[in-house]
């Protein structure tokens, strides 16, 4: 089973969730906040409130970071029976335009099982600027590479 989390493992759950939150499963299930079923929130006056679609709905739909610490999150989970495929693809800066053109074309037809992040970095061993793609596919390597 898995829920929608962030794309890295070193940020927290609280800020990610109350801030919206996107991750590798977002194309399929939406933002982290979209799959939040319930939150327990402590107000400045010390009240402990349960917020969901029927209780304290104004806080459930609109609190964000601003109305008190959320001390419990209940999130939907989804079956993830198969392995996923990912990795790193690294390209030199002159390929920026063709890379973005290809990514834009891919995005037009990408299924909910596919997503990607493209960023610029100076990775080892050379520590010079590079274009880096992290692809994600919810399925086998064979299917992903197609
Ligand atoms: C390297 C990196 C990668 C990232 N990747 C992603 C990504 O893939 N997807 C994405 O959506 N975002 C991403 N982010 C942004 C990240 O989700 C936000 O920075 C988020 O706020 C981190 O959550 P946190 O719990 O660590 O927040 P904190 O930095 O601890 O807090 C951020 C804000 O949230 C409030 N807050 C935190 N916990 C609670 C709580 N329990 N109740 C109420 N308010 C709370 C804090 O008061 C503060 O205002 C990334 C950030 C970094 C640095």
């Amino acid at each position: 089973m898995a829920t929608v989390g962030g794309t890295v493992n070193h940020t927290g759950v609280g800020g990610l969730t109350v801030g919206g939150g996107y991750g590798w499963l977002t194309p399929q299930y939406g933002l982290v906040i979209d799959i939040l079923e319930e939150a327990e929130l402590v107000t400045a006056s010390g009240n402990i409130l349960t917020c969901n679609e029927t209780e304290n709905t104004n806080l459930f739909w609109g609190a964000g970071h601003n109305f008190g610490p959320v001390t419990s999150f209940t999130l939907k989970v989804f079956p993830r029976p198969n392995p996923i495929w990912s990795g790193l693809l690294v390209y030199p800066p002159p390929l920026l335009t063709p890379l973005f053109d290809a990514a834009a074309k891919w995005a037009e037809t990408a299924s909910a099982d596919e997503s990607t992040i493209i960023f610029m970095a100076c990775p080892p061993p050379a520590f010079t600027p590079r274009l880096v793609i992290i692809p994600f596919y919810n399925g086998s390597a064979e299917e992903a590479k197609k």
Side-chain angles (χ1 to χ4, degrees):
M1 306 297 286
T3 191
V4 180
T7 59
V8 299
N9 61 4
H10 47 277
T11 53
V13 172
L16 176 87
T17 306
V18 293
Y22 66 88
W24 297 114
L25 300 183
T26 290
Q28 204 155 14
Y29 303 116
L31 297 174
V32 179
I33 201 78
D34 293 325
I35 54 142
L36 178 67
E37 298 251 286
E38 189 168 286
E40 180 189 79
L41 183 142
V42 182
T43 66
S45 52
N47 294 320
I48 300 172
L49 304 178
T50 298
C51 308
N52 55 37
E53 286 191 12
T54 54
E55 292 172 84
N56 297 301
T57 51
N58 54 342
L59 288 171
F60 184 65
W61 296 116
H65 301 127
N66 302 314
F67 288 92
V70 178
T71 45
S72 164
F73 295 92
T74 304
L75 296 158
K76 286 183 190 145
V77 293
F78 307 95
R80 299 274 94 194
N82 49 288
I84 59 101
W85 179 85
S86 185
L88 285 177
L89 301 165
V90 182
Y91 297 97
L95 289 182
L96 181 71
T97 301
L99 190 68
F100 271 60
D101 287 347
K105 196 173 165 195
W106 162 80
E108 283 171 13
T109 57
S111 75
D113 284 322
E114 305 165 46
S115 66
T116 192
I117 289 181
I118 304 176
F119 58 97
M120 288 160 224
C122 296
F127 298 101
T128 53
R130 288 286 179 265
L131 304 163
V132 183
I133 298 182
I134 304 178
F136 172 90
Y137 186 76
N138 178 29
S140 70
E142 193 184 30
E143 289 172 292
K145 285 176 184 173
K146 278 186 204 157

